[in-house]
Amino acid sequence: MTADYSFKMPKDNLLKEILFPHDKVRNIQDSMISDIYRSLSNKKNIIVHAPTGIGKTVSALAPCLSFALKKGLTIFFLTSRQTQHKIAVDTLKQIKKKHGNDFGVVDLIGKKWMCLQEADALQNSDFLEYCKKLRDNDECEFYLNTRKKSRQPTIIASNKLNELKVLGPMHVQELVGECGKQRLCPYEMASLMANDAKVIIADYSYIFNPNIRDSLFARTGKKMEESIIIVDEGHNLPARARELLTARISSFMIERALKEANKFEYFDAVVKLKNLKDIFENLGAELNFNKEEKFVRKHEFIDNVKESMDYDGLVSDLAFIGDDIRERQKQSYVSSVGKFLEAWLGNDEGFARILTKMPNGNLILNYKCLDPSLMTMDVIERSYATIMMSGTLIPTAMYADILGFPKESVEKVYGNPFPKNNRLCLIIPETTTKFTRRNDEEYKNIANVCNKIVDKINGNSILFFPSYDLRDKVYKHFFEACKKKKIIEKQNLSKEEKENILEEFKRNKKEGCVLLAVSTGSFGEGIDLPGDFLKGVVIVGLPLEKPDLETKELIDYYQEKYGKGFEYGYVFPAITKCLQNAGRCIRSETDKGAIIFLDERFAWQNYYKCLPSDMDFKISKNYEQRIGRFFGS
């Protein structure tokens, strides 16, 4: 792996060579643009750690588009957040406006979310079957208005395609609105536009899920070998890739499948599903509040099924019945059970098989992927080049390892572009959320320290906790101590609820308000609170994964494969979450704010060494005076 890789094109030459939409290139930004362009020229992958403020989107798109147009390549800009889709589209609009180059752009999200039928309630797999049924039976007017029997576009669709080309790059919601005017299928229109597009903006699944990727490439004539893959917010890719290869079944799903089979009079299937339910309950008989999970061997489960029925025959029967049920009611739990049984036959290497009993009694059997490279390596090896970027890709070597980047790939770490004197970074070793130290006295101590911190911050603060449960235990004491307005983040917020909380938070910036949130919740990443809207972030404790069987298996797997199990499987993922939370605070070069890590473990060498050196964290127990001086009070 090439860690120290630097090439800097002079700024004047850079603006001539690259389709850059702005009049000036910032410091550090020019390095990122040059390094990406040179890695493409050498046909090498590059992993980029680029903190907020560098302008990652334009710094990747401008050199990639310039190179792709010269070489006849297609760019796939992959991101999991809608806000980032919009930033990418707006950047391409600016490039087109300044340079006038003729290149097509398509913004894609999940097919279900582009559909003009009323199908929001369906699971993705059920939606795809429902969509196929409507198309096959000529029952979808949107599809019929868009495609002929030959799959060629209709006259209406062809005319609209020409119109959309003139309108230029547009966000997916704009495309859906335009298609809705003439009752055309937005997804099919996007697919038609993708044939000639130089840039396709999409979710990770469009490239890293092989079924979706193969379908997209077949429809658009694209080839992996002629594609540049840009992975935005790349720190999210390992978890997403693992989830794509994970399968699960629950006692709840089996119960629903039983009701479906009864409802549609598949009585043989009812008997088989009852047997499966009994097997499930027997496997979980020993689980209780003292023992919530256990490993289940592959053949242990298969042999239990084979005692009363043919395993392969059961898989086939449930697939057939599930298809029929979907024909009648759009979705099917019977089909989901069948798909799990098929997935269970997969390999053991890189997977864990775990049965868990939830507090409500629901049993969940997981065939859990441990190795994201099983999903990502093929894309990285076959693409022309893969560019992975994020503000929290430290250490780059870990992401290179676990995602399967070849040894000759480039790693690049850029410094923070914002003035250091606008940022106060403190580690306060006064408390801990360590499990063995959790008690009411420690919760009260955390609440008191948090109150002293936010009292010294002139404006709004966010407190990030490792879990909702711990947050609530601290809040009992914090509520009385803190005189500022307090807002509590609830679990599973809707988009509207999240926006309402942010608006309320912003309205209270003058008096100062405290949002008590959770590291992995709705506000941990992906929100932007520039200027005076947020003056301080406090990360309360390390958001380490629960040391359950999956985490232990992940640590063991990475230890055996890389010799860094504890770091890769436990420590670095928690530090990444902390840095994502910290990144909410300072979003521009004029912002001023305090970033505080509150837990004695942050001062321990094995955790402290994981923090970016350019953040220059100071360990201090004299925090009230430091914060007061920083904010001038």
Side-chain angles (χ1 to χ4, degrees):
M1 193 66 59
T2 312
D4 185 19
Y5 181 96
S6 184
F7 164 76
K8 195 166 182 179
M9 190 184 293
K11 287 187 179 182
D12 291 342
N13 292 341
L14 192 65
L15 289 171
K16 294 174 184 175
E17 291 288 330
I18 305 297
L19 294 172
F20 194 72
H22 309 300
D23 294 331
K24 293 183 179 179
V25 184
R26 286 177 260 170
N27 287 329
I28 302 181
Q29 185 178 53
D30 59 344
S31 296
M32 182 174 169
I33 292 170
S34 295
D35 288 335
I36 288 176
Y37 194 83
R38 187 173 184 185
S39 71
L40 292 172
S41 299
N42 293 331
K43 205 176 181 182
K44 287 188 176 182
N45 306 299
I46 182 169
I47 302 171
V48 176
H49 167 81
T52 298
I54 290 176
K56 289 185 288 294
T57 304
V58 69
S59 299
L61 280 173
C64 286
L65 183 59
S66 304
F67 191 84
L69 289 171
K70 290 177 183 177
K71 299 291 185 179
L73 305 173
T74 301
I75 299 167
F76 287 89
F77 186 94
L78 307 180
T79 180
S80 58
R81 291 192 284 119
Q82 280 284 313
T83 51
Q84 207 59 32
H85 279 244
K86 190 172 188 308
I87 291 171
V89 171
D90 289 345
T91 300
L92 291 162
K93 284 181 178 179
Q94 292 169 345
I95 290 174
K96 199 158 193 173
K97 182 178 179 181
K98 178 161 186 175
H99 296 281
N101 292 65
D102 187 23
F103 56 89
V105 177
V106 175
D107 184 13
L108 280 172
I109 57 175
K111 189 175 185 179
K112 181 175 82 169
W113 306 112
M114 296 178 73
C115 184
L116 295 172
Q117 300 278 3
E118 294 181 6
D120 289 358
L122 296 177
Q123 296 291 327
N124 278 338
S125 58
D126 290 318
F127 168 78
L128 294 174
E129 292 296 330
Y130 169 64
C131 175
K132 183 176 184 301
K133 174 194 166 188
L134 291 183
R135 296 198 316 269
D136 291 347
N137 296 338
D138 291 338
E139 293 175 348
C140 179
E141 67 162 311
F142 303 105
Y143 182 81
L144 292 173
N145 288 340
T146 310
R147 297 266 197 186
K148 299 176 184 176
K149 289 284 186 185
S150 62
R151 299 267 308 148
Q152 293 300 308
T154 62
I155 294 174
I156 298 172
S158 295
N159 291 336
K160 190 66 179 179
L161 285 170
N162 292 330
E163 182 185 332
L164 293 173
K165 188 175 181 181
V166 174
L167 290 173
M170 60 176 60
H171 188 255
V172 65
Q173 296 306 331
E174 295 176 298
L175 175 65
V176 171
E178 286 293 325
C179 292
K181 293 175 184 178
Q182 290 176 272
R183 304 191 72 75
L184 295 166
C185 173
Y187 180 79
E188 293 297 333
M189 289 295 289
S191 297
L192 289 165
M193 293 167 67
N195 290 329
D196 300 318
K198 277 293 169 188
V199 185
I200 297 175
I201 303 161
D203 182 80
Y204 299 154
S205 297
Y206 274 93
I207 291 298
F208 290 104
N209 184 319
N211 294 329
I212 298 174
R213 177 179 71 235
D214 292 347
S215 173
L216 177 65
F217 281 6
R219 292 159 67 89
T220 60
K222 305 296 183 186
K223 296 178 181 177
M224 182 65 75
E225 295 73 18
E226 297 172 358
S227 300
I228 298 169
I229 312 298
I230 303 174
V231 183
D232 185 42
E233 299 298 331
H235 63 278
N236 288 319
L237 184 57
R240 281 291 301 276
R242 289 177 57 208
E243 187 60 29
L244 284 170
L245 282 176
T246 292
R248 59 180 57 87
I249 190 176
S250 67
S251 47
F252 170 80
M253 287 169 62
I254 296 173
E255 287 281 359
R256 295 300 295 264
L258 264 169
K259 289 179 181 178
E260 280 182 2
N262 254 320
K263 176 181 175 182
F264 294 102
E265 300 182 351
Y266 281 103
F267 299 122
D268 285 347
V270 170
V271 174
K272 292 175 181 178
L273 287 165
K274 281 182 177 177
N275 287 339
L276 192 62
K277 181 185 174 187
D278 291 341
I279 291 165
F280 221 60
E281 290 174 350
N282 289 336
L283 283 172
E286 64 183 284
L287 298 181
N288 52 45
F289 63 91
N290 287 321
K291 185 181 180 183
E292 299 174 342
E293 56 182 356
K294 71 172 189 176
F295 290 115
V296 177
R297 295 189 307 276
K298 178 180 180 178
H299 284 287
E300 177 186 0
F301 180 68
I302 293 172
D303 291 345
N304 283 340
V305 172
K306 284 184 174 180
E307 285 180 12
S308 57
M309 48 194 150
D310 175 60
Y311 194 99
D312 293 335
L314 178 61
V315 172
S316 298
D317 288 348
L318 296 183
F320 174 80
I321 295 166
D323 287 344
D324 182 58
I325 291 173
R326 269 199 299 259
E327 287 278 331
R328 307 195 208 183
Q329 64 172 32
K330 298 183 184 179
Q331 59 183 333
S332 169
Y333 282 93
V334 170
S335 178
S336 298
V337 172
K339 286 178 180 176
F340 172 82
L341 295 175
E342 185 174 9
W344 186 261
L345 298 171
N347 295 330
D348 282 330
E349 181 69 23
F351 289 85
R353 302 172 190 268
I354 300 169
L355 181 67
T356 305
K357 189 167 189 175
M358 305 302 290
N360 63 3
N362 188 33
L363 289 167
I364 302 175
L365 183 58
N366 279 292
Y367 176 56
K368 189 78 180 180
C369 177
L370 302 173
D371 190 344
S373 71
L374 296 172
M375 182 64 83
T376 59
M377 186 184 290
D378 181 55
V379 171
I380 294 166
E381 287 181 345
R382 288 176 52 207
S383 65
Y384 185 89
T386 296
I387 297 158
M388 192 164 80
M389 60 183 190
S390 170
T392 48
L393 278 184
I394 292 179
T396 52
M398 178 186 77
Y399 290 96
D401 280 345
I402 67 176
L403 293 170
F405 277 81
K407 294 296 182 185
E408 65 273 13
S409 299
V410 177
E411 297 172 27
K412 197 67 186 175
V413 176
Y414 302 107
N416 193 303
F418 298 144
K420 285 189 176 181
N421 58 1
N422 283 358
R423 182 179 68 219
L424 176 68
C425 295
L426 293 181
I427 291 172
I428 302 176
E430 291 280 85
T431 67
T432 186
T433 61
K434 192 176 181 183
F435 189 77
T436 54
R437 293 261 301 274
R438 291 187 185 185
N439 55 54
D440 200 56
E441 190 62 32
E442 189 65 20
Y443 301 145
K444 187 175 182 179
N445 188 24
I446 292 171
N448 287 336
V449 174
C450 285
N451 178 49
K452 290 176 183 178
I453 293 169
V454 300
D455 188 55
K456 290 292 181 180
I457 292 174
N458 297 336
N460 287 342
S461 306
I462 301 181
L463 307 180
F464 285 108
F465 293 84
S467 68
Y468 291 98
D469 178 65
L470 192 142
R471 189 272 312 271
D472 293 342
K473 286 172 178 173
V474 172
Y475 181 65
K476 284 196 301 184
H477 304 285
F478 184 77
F479 176 80
E480 294 181 359
C482 181
K483 303 307 177 188
K484 288 187 175 183
K485 182 178 178 63
K486 295 163 281 289
I487 301 174
I488 302 292
E489 176 200 345
K490 295 178 183 177
Q491 295 189 55
N492 303 315
L493 291 173
S494 67
K495 184 179 178 181
E496 184 180 2
E497 288 172 329
K498 178 180 173 180
E499 288 174 354
N500 288 340
I501 286 176
L502 286 174
E503 287 306 311
E504 183 181 3
F505 188 70
K506 291 176 182 178
R507 283 197 300 271
N508 287 276
K509 68 175 185 177
K510 189 173 182 181
E511 299 81 10
C513 176
V514 184
L515 171 60
L516 290 91
V518 170
S519 179
T520 55
S522 298
F523 304 100
E525 62 176 290
I527 62 165
D528 209 8
L529 293 164
D532 293 334
F533 290 132
L534 180 61
K535 304 301 287 184
V537 165
V538 184
I539 288 85
V540 183
L542 273 155
L544 294 162
E545 290 291 340
K546 183 180 176 182
D548 54 18
L549 292 180
E550 181 189 339
T551 301
K552 291 173 183 175
E553 281 288 284
L554 192 62
I555 291 170
D556 289 346
Y557 182 78
Y558 284 153
Q559 183 62 32
E560 185 176 340
K561 192 169 182 180
Y562 307 112
K564 297 180 179 180
F566 186 69
E567 295 92 331
Y568 284 11
Y570 198 56
V571 175
F572 286 134
I575 294 295
T576 296
K577 291 171 192 170
C578 294
L579 296 176
Q580 279 294 319
N581 298 162
R584 300 313 97 211
C585 188
I586 297 176
R587 309 297 293 177
S588 77
E589 59 187 14
T590 57
D591 287 358
K592 184 175 182 177
I595 296 167
I596 296 166
F597 283 16
L598 177 59
D599 195 300
E600 64 183 24
R601 288 174 293 176
F602 287 118
W604 296 358
Q605 187 57 29
N606 58 331
Y607 292 105
Y608 185 82
K609 69 181 182 182
C610 302
L611 301 174
S613 58
D614 69 320
M615 291 188 76
D616 194 25
F617 273 96
K618 305 297 183 186
I619 301 170
S620 175
K621 292 189 176 184
N622 192 28
Y623 56 92
E624 287 184 86
Q625 289 84 346
R626 278 180 172 267
I627 297 169
R629 285 199 304 270
F630 179 75
F631 285 106
S633 60

